[in-house]
Amino acid sequence: LAQVVVAALAAITCIALAMAESHQRFLDYDWSDERWQTYLQGLYPPPNQQQALKFKKKWYKKTIDPDFDDKFEPYSSSPPSSSSTAGAGSGGGQPSVVP
């Protein structure tokens, strides 16, 4: 049983490393590529930063690396903080004070 667990962990580690390497190639990609720039300029309305990242990942998968996992997020990314969205629309993000 221990050998099976070790083998499974080794396989998972290899997959995780491959995904991390693929993600790093995505990050290192030359985004001044004319094909990407043409695609980006054709988007209407222009995407915000978060939307642009999603479009980049999908475009990269379709155009550059069909094996790229556009859903992969490296572990080093911190999840969005709830404080950044808390109170959005409750008076400029100021905390509510109950008397």
Side-chain angles (χ1 to χ4, degrees):
L1 180 65
Q3 291 176 337
V4 172
V5 171
V6 170
L9 287 174
I12 291 169
T13 302
C14 285
I15 292 169
L17 286 173
M19 291 176 75
E21 288 174 5
S22 177
H23 188 76
Q24 188 60 49
R25 286 192 300 274
F26 164 78
L27 294 175
D28 293 342
Y29 184 74
D30 179 11
W31 292 102
S32 64
D33 182 310
E34 186 177 323
R35 297 169 297 171
W36 164 248
Q37 292 299 319
T38 301
Y39 175 78
L40 182 61
Q41 290 170 2
L43 296 175
Y44 185 83
N48 62 38
Q49 188 174 7
Q50 184 178 7
Q51 293 166 327
L53 179 60
K54 185 176 180 180
F55 281 113
K56 269 185 176 183
K57 288 181 174 185
K58 288 185 176 194
W59 180 87
Y60 184 83
K61 180 179 180 83
K62 181 179 178 185
T63 309
I64 305 301
D65 181 3
D67 295 327
F68 176 68
D69 182 357
D70 57 340
K71 306 286 189 263
F72 175 76
E73 289 295 328
Y75 293 116
S76 61
S77 311
S78 58
S81 140
S82 61
S83 64
S84 65
T85 57
S90 64
Q94 296 298 320
S96 300
V97 177
V98 178

